[in-house]
């Protein structure tokens, strides 16, 4: 035999097994998250908040706005169809077929016929006739070609090298693989064969699990007896450990059968399986010698055994990832039945047959599988009978579960090719075989369209929950009631569930249900308990809960938030900080596509409402960043409103009023609320006429909210209106720092003062006057005055200065228009004086140009 090829196949098989272990570990870690991912549903609620700018009649006054807070609950997304797990599974099955076919050509005649029969039965279960091509000759051709090729190598020409055998077998399966892919007129023929033919690989898996089921007992017998100097001690240790093992398997069987409730960390059927695979590999040689398999049996150990391990773990991993609970349960039942039967049988066999030898201090573990031939054969037959008895005891449940899993695969494939009618039929057939089927019940619940189907949603989710604990089904069940507005059943379906004891997402949703019932202490309890897998959601909900109960209890400072970069948490904490008059740093991760999400929009809005914000420029930059994308135009009014608050709260009164005017002009029919804001700001700036004008405009546009009415009532009793705008301190600070500033820096500082608040006319004009004393273009003076008049159009002093600036810049038409505006605000004598000076400056300008 070619040793190089032999070693290559050996290492290939071991590599497949190692990859299967990795895949199984990945599947165990990820679960069905890829097929049925958790999703978070956000609900935004408004909460009234007073931006206090002044005291009116001894009461806080300002603008009553709505802050936004975010509540989040868990739900599940749509069932996904994943192609790649089926392809990985298909590869593992083909590997078993290739290496299995190659292995049996090295066995003796009897063993060859036994193994060939298993392979032929597997071919029959592939149900190639479902492809609709050459029925039934495609199946006959595969079986005939297999038998002819393997019999030739096994009986006719035994000297053919392993490489030639491997190439011939690969060509055989490659040929039929091409026929399967190109002859049928259908999509995904490989996956169709796999789905219809899943029972074939399950047969290999079942026989393999039964083959290794008793090997754990042998390993325990060897470990407890080979190192003992006294056989009596070894017997005692084996008796205790073996008994615990058998009891453990019995408990797992009873728990699976729902006779008891048991939750052992990491002790699952798959744990037993992996332990048996390891034990089986190391005790393969002594065991295979006693079960009438002859020939080069090492090929079974080095080629076929690792490949079968890979396929078995692959099937389990596939079932886990694709949420095919029936397939998984079928295999787990096979594991438990076979391990219970062989574990108990071999344990009793070892105690009865080896007690005398152990008392004589003999090393007997190496003849465990030999012994007197009749007793061991009898024990094996007895164990097989017990396995059959287990199937009968369960009323063939594993078989029905396997068939259910098969139809679930077919239904999922039908969904993938958009054949909903066929998918429904297969899902219902799957439920016929297994009432508790997870994926089929869930799929039918999601696909419900008619009223009758919608009425069955509740029953389908309950069926899943009766089959076992399932957090996703539990969340779907409670959300079903929540969507119907049934608050009591939403709460009770979660509160009395098993899942709430361990699942963070169920705990979060229960906390939200308690909140809706105004059980704030219970809501707080469950939000705190769910700070695990659902921590980022629960922290946000905790912050929202803090906001709602801040009037009674301030416990926000007692929570150490981990997910401080989570947008929902920042949004809610910002609202709470605004309500408590605290400063909270602003931070946001700007999206590269400049598309604004609702969460970021509301976070920007809440941040703009803060009156304790020194980093307002960062917020302004973020708003302008998103305003740059026309696709965000739908949020433009909201963004502009937030920006106007941001400017006004940061002392940029002119910018605040101008931005608010943009909000008003963007939609005059809905300008009631902006006019209400303008009225409050005008009162804050000491502009009584503008206050009354803005109130009237708000009323004209249908804004009749209670805050506006209360503001109007309070205004009736104002007797000493002494509010004035005052930014003189800013100008004093600039003049005090003049010596330390360059001329350009000094000019910029004066311009900032002149742009700040046009309602403080004296300071604004003084800043412009100081600017004129520097070497600055007259156009700058004109722009500053024009912008000031956009905000304060009732100031005669601003109009006068603007008219003179028009003359300096030869803007005669603009100056004439401004004089008309001034005539409506000042007496005729004042207008005449301004006109005279305006004309003088123009004449002087003309004379200068002529010269």
């Amino acid at each position: 035999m070619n040793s190089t090829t032999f070693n290559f196949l050996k290492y290939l098989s071991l590599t497949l097994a190692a990859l299967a272990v990795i895949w199984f570990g990945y599947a165990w870690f990820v679960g069905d998250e890829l097929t049925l991912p958790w999703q978070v549903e956000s609900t935004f609620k408004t909460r009234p908040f007073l931006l206090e700018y002044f005291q009116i009649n001894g009461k806080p006054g300002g603008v009553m706005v709505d802050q936004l807070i975010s509540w989040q609950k868990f739900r599940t997304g749509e069932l996904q169809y994943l192609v790649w797990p089926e392809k990985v599974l298909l590869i593992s099955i083909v590997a078993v077929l290739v290496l299995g076919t190659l292995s049996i050509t090295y066995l003796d005649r009897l063993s060859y016929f036994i193994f060939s029969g298993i392979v032929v039965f597997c071919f029959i279960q592939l149900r190639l006739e479902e492809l609709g091509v050459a029925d039934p000759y495609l199946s006959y051709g595969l079986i005939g070609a297999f038998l002819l090729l393997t019999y030739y190598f096994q009986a006719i020409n035994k000297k053919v090298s392993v490489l030639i055998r491997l190439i011939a077998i690969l060509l055989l399966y490659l040929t039929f693989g091409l026929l399967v892919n190109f002859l049928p007129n259908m999509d995904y023929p490989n996956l169709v064969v796999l789905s219809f033919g899943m029972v074939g690989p399950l047969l290999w898996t079942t026989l393999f699990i039964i083959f290794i089921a008793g090997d754990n007992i042998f390993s325990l017998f060897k470990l407890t007896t080979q190192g003992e100097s006294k056989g009596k001690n070894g017997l005692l240790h084996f008796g205790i450990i073996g008994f615990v093992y058998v009891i453990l398997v019995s408990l797992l069987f009873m728990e699976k059968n729902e006779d008891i409730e048991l939750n052992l960390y990491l002790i699952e059927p798959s744990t037993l399986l992996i332990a048996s695979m390891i034990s089986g590999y190391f005790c393969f040689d002594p065991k295979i010698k006693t079960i009438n398999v002859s020939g080069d049996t090492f090929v079974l150990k080095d080629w076929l055994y690792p490949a079968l391990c890979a396929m078995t773990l692959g099937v389990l991993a596939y079932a886990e990832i694709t949420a095919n609970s029936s397939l998984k349960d079928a295999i787990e039942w096979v594991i438990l039945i076979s391990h219970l039967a062989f574990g108990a049988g071999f344990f009793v066999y070892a105690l009865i047959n080896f007690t005398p030898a152990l008392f004589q201090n003999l090393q007997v573990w190496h003849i465990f599988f030999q012994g007197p031939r009749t007793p061991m054969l009898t024990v094996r037959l007895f164990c097989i009978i017990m396995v059959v008895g287990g199937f009968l005891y369960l009323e063939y449940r594993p078989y029905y579960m396997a068939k259910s899993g098969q139809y679930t695969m077919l239904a999922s494939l039908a969904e993938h090719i958009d054949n909903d009618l066929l998918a429904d039929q297969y899902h219902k057939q799957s439920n016929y075989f297994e009432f508790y089927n997870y994926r089929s019940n869930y799929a039918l619940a999601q696909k419900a369209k008619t009223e009758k189907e919608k009425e069955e949603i509740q029953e389908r989710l309950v069926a899943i929950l009766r089959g076992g604990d399932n957090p996703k089904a539990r969340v779907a069940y409670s959300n079903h009631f929540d969507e119907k507005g049934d608050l009591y059943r939403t709460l009770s379906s979660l509160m009395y569930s098993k899942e709430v004891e361990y699942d963070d997402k169920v705990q979060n949703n229960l906390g939200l249900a308690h909140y809706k019932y105004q059980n704030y202490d219970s809501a707080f309890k469950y939000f705190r308990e769910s700070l695990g897998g659902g921590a980022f959601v629960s922290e946000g909900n905790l912050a929202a809960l803090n906001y709602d109960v801040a009037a009674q209890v301030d416990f926000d400072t007692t929570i150490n938030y981990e997910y401080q970069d989570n947008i929902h948490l920042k949004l809610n904490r910002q609202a709470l900080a605004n309500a408590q008059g605290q400063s909270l740093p602003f931070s946001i991760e700007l999206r590269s596509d400049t598309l604004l999400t609702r969460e970021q929009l509301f976070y920007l809005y809440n941040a703009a409402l803060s009156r304790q914000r020194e980093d307002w420029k960062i917020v302004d930059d973020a708003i302008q960043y998103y305003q740059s994308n026309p696709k965000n135009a739908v949020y433009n009014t909201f963004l502009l409103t937030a920006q106007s608050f941001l400017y006004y709260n940061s002392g940029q009164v002119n910018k605040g009023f101008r931005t608010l005017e943009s909000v008003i002009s963007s939609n005059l029919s809905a300008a009631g609320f902006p006019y209400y804001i303008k009225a409050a700001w005008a009162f804050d700036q000491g502009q009584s006429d503008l206050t009354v004008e803005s109130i009237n405009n708000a009323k004209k546009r249908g804004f009749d909210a209670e805050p506006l009415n209360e503001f109007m009532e309070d205004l009736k009793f104002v007797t000493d209106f002494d509010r004035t705008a005052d930014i003189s301190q800013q100008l004093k600070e600039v003049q005090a720092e003049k010596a330390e500033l360059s001329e350009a820096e000094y000019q910029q500082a004066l311009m900032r003062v002149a742009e700040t608040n046009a309602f403080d006319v004296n300071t604004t004009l003084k800043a412009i006057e100081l600017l004129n004393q520097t070497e600055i273009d007259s156009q700058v003076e004109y722009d500053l005055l024009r912008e000031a008049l956009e905000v304060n159009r009732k100031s005669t002093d601003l109009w006068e200065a603007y008219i003179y600036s028009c003359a300096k810049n030869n803007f005669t038409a603009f100056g004439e228009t401004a004089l008309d505006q001034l005539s409506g605000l000042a007496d005729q004598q004042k207008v005449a004086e301004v006109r005279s000076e305006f004309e003088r400056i123009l004449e002087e300008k003309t004379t200068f140009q002529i010269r």
Side-chain angles (χ1 to χ4, degrees):
M1 178 179 294
N2 189 322
S3 60
T4 302
T5 308
F6 166 77
N7 289 328
F8 169 76
L9 292 173
K10 175 182 177 180
Y11 293 129
L12 176 63
S13 299
L14 293 174
T15 302
L16 285 173
L19 291 174
V21 171
I22 294 172
W23 186 29
F24 178 76
Y26 171 78
W28 179 82
F29 180 77
V30 174
D32 58 5
E33 180 64 20
L34 301 177
T35 296
L36 190 60
W38 281 111
Q39 291 185 353
V40 178
E41 179 183 293
S42 303
T43 303
F44 296 97
K45 301 290 185 182
T46 56
R47 294 290 183 270
F49 169 60
L50 176 65
L51 274 169
E52 184 181 344
Y53 295 118
F54 46 80
Q55 292 280 320
I56 182 168
N57 300 328
K59 298 189 304 182
V63 181
M64 184 65 72
V65 296
D66 282 331
Q67 289 204 100
L68 288 121
I69 61 173
S70 169
W71 290 100
Q72 295 173 276
K73 72 176 180 179
F74 284 100
R75 64 185 310 116
T76 52
E78 297 292 324
L79 277 167
Q80 308 295 315
Y81 181 79
L82 305 175
V83 174
W84 67 266
E86 297 207 11
K87 289 184 176 179
V88 173
L89 180 60
L90 185 61
I91 290 171
S92 68
I93 293 171
V94 170
V96 169
L97 286 176
V98 171
L99 293 172
T101 303
L102 181 61
S103 299
I104 64 176
T105 62
Y106 287 98
L107 301 180
D108 72 321
R109 188 66 53 86
L110 177 61
S111 302
Y112 164 77
F113 282 123
I114 293 173
F115 278 88
S116 296
I118 295 172
V119 176
V120 168
F121 188 73
C122 180
F123 288 155
I124 294 172
Q125 293 301 316
L126 289 178
R127 306 225 342 234
L128 296 178
E129 64 273 10
E130 298 294 343
L131 295 174
V133 177
D135 179 34
Y137 301 108
L138 193 61
S139 296
Y140 291 165
L142 177 59
I143 294 170
F146 164 80
L147 291 174
L148 286 173
L149 185 65
T150 55
Y151 189 74
Y152 173 78
F153 291 140
Q154 194 278 332
I156 300 174
N157 192 352
K158 295 184 178 183
K159 295 182 179 181
V160 177
S161 69
V162 62
L163 182 59
I164 299 299
R165 298 186 190 208
L166 178 62
I167 293 172
I169 292 169
L170 286 173
L171 286 174
L172 168 66
Y173 289 121
L174 180 61
T175 300
F176 277 90
L178 293 173
L179 292 175
V180 165
N181 276 277
F182 292 106
L183 287 181
N185 184 21
M186 64 170 59
D187 297 323
Y188 310 106
N190 282 322
L191 303 185
V192 170
V193 171
L194 179 62
S195 299
F196 274 109
M198 194 61 201
V199 174
L202 288 178
L203 172 65
W204 277 93
T205 299
T206 300
L207 294 175
F208 175 67
I209 292 172
I210 291 174
F211 176 74
I212 63 174
D215 295 343
N216 283 332
I217 283 292
F218 168 76
S219 295
L220 292 176
F221 183 70
K222 178 180 178 181
L223 289 172
T224 53
T225 61
Q226 69 175 343
E228 285 289 345
S229 58
K230 293 183 179 181
K232 183 178 180 181
N233 290 341
L235 179 64
L236 180 63
H237 293 161
F238 171 70
I240 294 172
I241 296 174
F243 181 74
V244 170
Y245 172 80
V246 173
I247 290 297
L248 184 63
V249 177
S250 302
L251 291 175
L252 288 174
F253 181 91
M254 295 172 68
E255 190 271 338
K256 187 75 174 175
N257 201 38
E258 298 182 355
D259 297 324
I260 60 172
E261 290 187 10
L262 181 69
N263 187 13
L264 298 176
Y265 183 65
L266 293 180
I267 304 298
E268 299 177 352
S270 56
T271 312
L272 295 176
L273 177 64
I274 294 174
S276 295
M277 287 177 175
I278 298 171
S279 299
Y281 187 78
F282 288 105
C283 70
F284 187 91
D285 293 328
K287 180 172 63 173
I288 202 70
K289 291 177 182 178
T290 65
I291 55 176
N292 293 330
V293 177
S294 302
D296 293 329
T297 55
F298 63 89
V299 298
L300 299 177
K301 176 185 178 182
D302 292 331
W303 298 349
L304 185 57
Y305 188 94
L308 284 169
C309 289
M311 188 184 73
T312 303
L313 293 176
V315 173
L316 273 173
Y318 166 80
E320 185 72 49
I321 288 177
T322 59
N324 197 330
S325 62
S326 296
L327 201 59
K328 179 183 175 184
D329 286 341
I331 298 173
E332 287 184 347
W333 271 125
V334 171
I335 295 170
L336 291 174
I337 293 172
S338 58
H339 279 71
L340 180 57
F342 279 87
F346 280 20
F347 175 67
V348 173
Y349 162 78
L351 285 180
I352 293 175
N353 284 273
F354 296 105
T355 295
L358 287 171
F359 274 132
Q360 297 174 33
N361 296 334
L362 298 178
Q363 289 284 339
V364 293
W365 59 267
H366 55 282
I367 60 169
F368 181 93
F369 291 107
Q370 298 173 8
R373 182 174 180 79
T374 305
M376 192 57 183
L377 178 60
T378 303
V379 170
R380 284 198 175 105
L381 292 174
F382 176 71
C383 291
I384 294 295
I385 292 171
M386 287 181 65
V387 169
V388 175
F391 276 83
L392 293 173
Y393 173 76
L394 295 173
E395 297 178 339
Y396 299 102
R397 203 184 315 170
Y399 170 75
Y400 292 131
M401 287 178 171
K403 293 296 291 183
S404 177
Q406 178 189 33
Y407 280 107
T408 299
M409 293 173 67
L410 288 165
S412 301
L413 181 59
E415 286 175 347
H416 184 58
I417 61 176
D418 296 326
N419 193 331
D420 288 338
L421 179 61
L422 188 60
D424 287 348
Q425 291 175 346
Y426 280 136
H427 278 310
K428 290 174 182 177
Q429 186 67 31
S430 177
N431 282 347
Y432 171 77
F433 282 109
E434 163 65 337
F435 178 71
Y436 303 126
N437 184 292
Y438 174 29
R439 178 156 187 157
S440 288
N441 275 312
Y442 213 106
L444 289 171
Q446 283 191 327
K447 289 157 59 70
K449 295 178 182 178
T450 66
E451 289 301 319
K452 183 178 183 301
E453 289 173 339
K454 290 178 180 178
E455 290 175 0
E456 294 174 348
I457 291 176
Q458 181 178 332
E459 297 176 4
R460 296 195 180 282
L461 295 175
V462 168
I464 299 172
L465 294 171
R466 285 178 180 170
D469 299 349
N470 193 309
K472 290 184 177 178
R474 179 64 62 184
V475 163
Y477 184 54
S478 65
N479 287 344
H480 173 67
F481 293 124
D482 190 33
E483 290 165 3
K484 294 171 64 176
D486 192 340
L487 183 56
Y488 172 75
R489 296 183 77 179
T490 302
L491 179 64
S492 60
S493 64
L494 294 169
M495 190 163 54
Y496 302 114
S497 70
K498 295 179 182 178
E499 294 84 0
V500 78
E501 297 174 4
Y502 65 88
D503 190 81
D504 307 306
K505 299 169 181 62
V506 177
Q507 289 170 352
N508 174 80
N509 282 23
L510 177 57
L512 197 56
H514 274 294
Y515 165 79
K516 292 179 179 179
Y517 244 113
Q518 298 184 349
N519 299 333
Y520 297 135
D521 54 346
S522 296
F524 178 78
K525 170 181 179 290
Y526 284 109
F527 288 148
R528 287 297 296 268
E529 286 184 357
S530 61
L531 294 181
F536 71 99
V537 170
S538 295
E539 282 191 0
N541 286 343
L542 271 173
L545 179 64
N546 290 344
Y547 184 91
D548 278 0
V549 300
Q552 292 84 23
V553 182
D554 178 15
F555 54 77
D556 183 63
T557 55
T558 67
I559 300 170
N560 294 321
Y561 295 108
E562 280 187 59
Y563 297 84
Q564 296 193 30
D565 290 334
N566 182 268
I567 188 68
H568 296 274
L569 176 62
K570 291 194 292 188
L571 188 158
N572 292 340
R573 292 195 71 201
Q574 182 62 62
L576 183 60
N578 293 347
Q580 295 178 338
Q582 299 174 353
S583 176
L584 196 66
F586 176 83
S587 65
I588 193 170
E589 184 177 348
L590 300 175
R591 293 168 58 93
S592 58
D593 58 6
T594 67
L595 290 176
L596 189 58
T597 63
R598 287 191 306 164
E599 292 79 5
Q600 289 186 324
L601 174 66
F602 296 148
Y603 176 49
L604 286 170
Y605 177 75
N606 283 354
L609 296 180
S610 173
R611 299 199 64 199
Q612 304 291 328
R613 184 164 298 291
E614 295 181 359
D615 56 353
W616 67 271
K617 192 68 174 64
I618 301 175
V619 184
D620 187 32
D621 290 343
I623 292 175
Q624 292 185 42
Y625 177 80
Y626 286 115
Q627 284 175 328
S628 66
N629 191 336
K631 292 183 179 180
N632 294 326
V634 65
Y635 305 126
N636 191 51
T637 300
F638 203 86
L639 286 170
L640 285 173
T641 303
Q643 201 170 32
S644 65
F645 277 117
L646 178 66
Y647 291 147
Y648 191 84
N649 292 341
S650 62
Q652 304 296 309
V653 175
N654 286 0
K655 281 187 175 182
F657 270 88
R658 283 200 300 271
T659 308
L660 193 63
E661 285 295 335
S662 299
V663 177
I664 292 170
S665 60
S666 66
N667 190 352
L668 284 174
S669 61
F673 178 67
Y675 270 121
Y676 159 62
I677 299 172
K678 188 174 182 180
W681 286 356
F683 183 87
D684 186 37
Q685 298 300 323
Q687 304 297 308
S688 56
D689 292 343
L690 184 58
T691 301
V692 174
E693 177 188 322
S694 299
I695 288 174
N696 290 334
N697 283 328
K699 298 289 286 185
K700 286 178 184 177
R701 283 155 181 82
F703 188 74
D704 197 31
E706 187 63 27
L708 177 61
N709 295 328
E710 290 181 1
F711 183 42
M712 292 170 58
E713 288 298 316
D714 290 336
L715 286 177
K716 294 177 182 178
F717 301 100
V718 174
T719 56
D720 187 14
F721 184 64
D722 58 355
R723 297 192 65 81
T724 57
D726 185 6
I727 57 171
S728 59
Q729 184 61 35
Q730 295 182 32
L731 184 59
K732 290 177 182 178
E733 292 174 357
V734 172
Q735 290 179 300
E737 298 174 355
K738 179 180 179 181
E740 302 173 5
L741 301 174
S742 66
E743 183 176 5
E745 291 173 337
Y746 179 59
Q747 289 174 348
Q748 289 296 322
L750 290 174
M751 288 176 63
R752 283 194 295 270
V753 174
E755 292 171 336
T756 298
N757 191 342
F759 295 113
D760 185 352
V761 177
N762 291 331
T763 304
T764 300
L765 292 177
K766 179 64 175 175
I768 294 174
E769 181 184 344
L770 292 172
L771 265 174
N772 287 332
Q773 295 174 8
T774 66
E775 294 182 3
I776 196 163
D777 192 274
S778 60
Q779 179 72 34
V780 175
E781 176 192 14
Y782 171 80
D783 291 337
L784 291 171
L785 288 167
R786 178 181 54 79
E787 290 176 358
L789 282 169
E790 289 178 2
V791 176
N792 187 1
R793 301 185 65 83
K794 301 295 183 181
S795 172
T796 57
D797 292 338
L798 284 176
W799 279 113
E800 181 180 354
Y802 174 75
I803 291 168
Y804 297 154
S805 182
C806 288
K808 293 176 185 177
N809 288 279
N810 276 335
F811 297 157
T812 307
F814 291 162
E816 292 290 347
T817 304
L819 282 167
D820 291 340
Q821 291 288 334
L822 182 63
S823 63
L825 299 172
D827 57 62
Q828 294 304 310
Q829 182 180 353
K830 178 67 175 176
V831 174
E833 293 175 358
V834 173
R835 178 177 288 277
S836 176
E837 179 65 15
F838 172 69
E839 291 173 350
R840 187 194 68 78
I841 296 173
L842 283 174
E843 184 179 351
E844 185 179 286
K845 191 82 173 175
T846 303
T847 303
F848 177 78
Q849 289 175 346
I850 292 173
R851 289 177 182 175

